[in-house]
Amino acid sequence: MTTIIAPRVHDLGDGFLVRRAVPSIQARSVGPFVFVDHMGPVVFEGGRGLDVRPHPHIGLSTLTYLCEGEIMHHDNRGYDQAIRPGEVNWMTAGKGIVHSECRPQTLAQTSYVNHGIQLWAALPVEAEEAEPSFVHTPADAIPQLQVGDATVRVLIGQAWGQQSPVVSLAPALYLDIQLPAGGALALPAALAQEAGLYTVDAAVTLDGVTLAAQTLTVLPTGHAML
């Protein structure tokens, strides 16, 4: 049986909407992921935009992946990194890190769209006090393959014989699946022990059930789906 979750919507200011699907009443987590956030899409006009002030994290990791736009990461460990579409920013808070996310100076007076997904992963107990770290993986280092009608990018973990270079302290699988209108993709039962499917910008049909855009579906364990 599938569980379909409609995210709660929060406005962070300037019309920047974040849809949070997890945690929810229906699912406290999916695999190691304890927060599933869909950011935007939002148009930032020149002179305004994303400005998440410095704030702390402990005992978890955050993964940022953009569909459009650009975000600048700063933290108290000395990491400064812009993230752009197709790239992966993986921050491990461990025993504690303070970071901010803001509009890049190169786009200070430019109108642009920001749109992406941010996941928060719980660390294994033995890694909760790990040294904080930050790793950026460029887009051309992420494996990409064609499966059925879909273009699949393996952001974390291993699927269809491809291994992501992104290192996760907790076992995880994260795929970017781009499926054209009318296309089909079979999801094998062995893909993951616990899995969720988030529809970013269009509805899809899963085993004959239509899933609206911007919803999270927790898939039944050990069941192949189409």
Side-chain angles (χ1 to χ4, degrees):
M1 178 179 177
T2 58
T3 300
I4 301 174
I5 301 170
R8 303 183 307 281
V9 182
H10 305 276
D11 190 337
L12 300 187
D14 284 333
F16 190 24
L17 301 182
V18 173
R19 298 166 184 84
R20 175 161 288 175
V22 170
S24 67
I25 294 174
Q26 299 100 316
R28 302 302 299 172
S29 62
V30 178
F33 301 115
V34 293
F35 287 88
V36 176
D37 291 343
H38 177 195
M39 309 176 293
V42 61
V43 178
F44 289 136
E45 303 295 342
R48 55 181 283 268
L50 179 72
D51 185 14
V52 179
R53 296 184 178 184
H55 57 282
H57 286 260
I58 60 170
L60 49 75
S61 292
T62 60
L63 184 154
T64 304
Y65 184 72
L66 295 184
C67 306
E68 297 178 83
E70 185 174 337
I71 296 174
M72 192 71 194
H73 164 97
H74 304 279
D75 66 49
N76 67 328
R77 306 289 292 190
Y79 297 106
D80 297 288
Q81 177 66 54
I83 181 171
R84 302 176 180 89
E87 303 174 342
V88 174
N89 273 5
W90 182 271
M91 183 183 76
T92 298
K95 64 183 182 182
I97 196 169
V98 176
H99 81 126
S100 65
E101 296 161 298
C102 60
R103 180 186 187 119
Q105 285 299 312
T106 55
L107 297 175
Q109 301 303 320
T110 303
S111 294
Y112 69 105
V113 176
N114 248 354
H115 184 203
I117 303 290
Q118 188 171 80
L119 305 180
W120 298 24
L123 293 174
V125 173
E126 63 274 13
E128 287 181 348
E129 293 294 321
E131 285 296 320
S133 64
F134 179 88
V135 178
H136 173 81
T137 303
D140 60 8
I142 301 295
Q144 179 172 304
L145 67 156
Q146 199 70 24
V147 184
D149 297 321
T151 300
V152 179
R153 306 187 76 233
V154 184
L155 307 182
I156 301 177
Q158 182 176 356
W160 289 290
Q162 297 293 318
Q163 176 70 54
S164 168
V166 179
V167 177
S168 171
L169 294 177
L173 176 66
Y174 185 25
L175 306 175
D176 174 5
I177 300 173
Q178 300 177 38
L179 192 64
L185 170 67
L187 298 175
L191 198 59
Q193 184 175 1
E194 184 176 35
L197 173 66
Y198 186 81
T199 51
V200 174
D201 55 11
V204 300
T205 299
L206 184 69
D207 274 6
V209 177
T210 299
L211 309 175
Q214 300 170 356
T215 58
L216 174 68
T217 301
V218 181
L219 308 179
T221 301
H223 179 57
M225 309 193 81
L226 181 62

